[in-house]
Amino acid sequence: MRQLLLAILLPFALTVAGQGFISPQAKIAKKQYEQKVKKARTRGEAVEENARMKLFVTCAKDADAREVANATKKIGAKVRMVKGDLIVLDIPYSKLEALAGVKGVSIVNMPPKASIKTDVTRQVTQAEEVINGSGPQLPQAYTGKDVIVGIIDTGFDLTH
């Protein structure tokens, strides 16, 4: 009996070891998308067939991230960035499991949720004190009048 159990579990264990771990958040996002599609179809609504999900992929320690990124392209991923052992990409929801199966993929995860905090930014940065000139070491108010500022956005960068 023990040998039979080992014979059944061994191929399963080898298969699991060869695949990357899909985070619960990524699995939930895929499931929610599938439920949304199912509801839309039952209502007769149009459904976007190739909807994509944005993901972070952490490569295995012994893998070359560039090679892994190229392998993910073969299954339909659009690679946005490769930095160290991290790949930022988007891929169709239907390809999530295939992505985890790519050689060199260790973890597939959702990006962190961003939140807007503009309601407290003025207090945190003490902008009010600068504008009024009421800060302890400010000789005058700094309103920004006649100041020109240029911002160049180069996109997502993990080193910022």
Side-chain angles (χ1 to χ4, degrees):
M1 182 66 175
R2 189 178 287 176
Q3 290 176 341
L4 177 63
L5 186 59
L6 283 173
I8 293 170
L9 292 177
L10 183 61
F12 175 74
L14 292 174
T15 303
V16 171
Q19 296 177 339
F21 172 76
I22 302 173
S23 74
Q25 295 87 353
K27 289 179 183 178
I28 290 169
K30 181 182 179 193
K31 188 167 187 83
Q32 288 173 338
Y33 169 75
E34 290 170 344
Q35 289 171 344
K36 181 179 168 184
V37 167
K38 187 176 179 181
K39 285 181 184 178
R41 285 192 176 135
T42 58
R43 294 183 194 134
E45 298 172 358
V47 176
E48 184 182 351
E49 294 295 327
N50 294 320
R52 304 175 77 82
M53 60 191 313
K54 292 174 178 52
L55 297 168
F56 284 178
V57 172
T58 304
C59 299
K61 298 233 184 279
D62 60 342
D64 178 6
R66 295 259 176 225
E67 289 178 12
V68 175
N70 287 333
T72 64
K73 289 178 185 177
K74 292 177 184 173
I75 60 169
K78 289 184 183 174
V79 176
R80 303 299 181 190
M81 187 188 76
V82 178
K83 181 76 173 177
D85 67 346
L86 184 69
I87 304 170
V88 179
L89 54 76
D90 63 70
I91 194 163
Y93 282 89
S94 60
K95 302 288 185 175
L96 179 62
E97 287 77 14
L99 176 63
V102 170
K103 184 177 183 199
V105 170
S106 178
I107 302 170
V108 178
N109 203 352
M110 299 291 292
K113 293 268 185 198
S115 60
I116 299 172
K117 297 193 184 325
T118 54
D119 58 333
V120 295
T121 303
R122 283 178 77 100
Q123 292 85 22
V124 171
T125 61
Q126 298 174 328
E128 200 67 42
E129 294 176 7
V130 173
I131 292 168
N132 296 332
S134 61
Q137 304 209 359
L138 298 174
Q140 66 186 44
Y142 293 91
T143 63
K145 185 175 183 211
D146 298 326
V147 173
I148 299 172
V149 176
I151 299 173
I152 300 172
D153 185 359
T154 59
F156 184 81
D157 186 352
L158 292 176
T159 61
H160 284 180

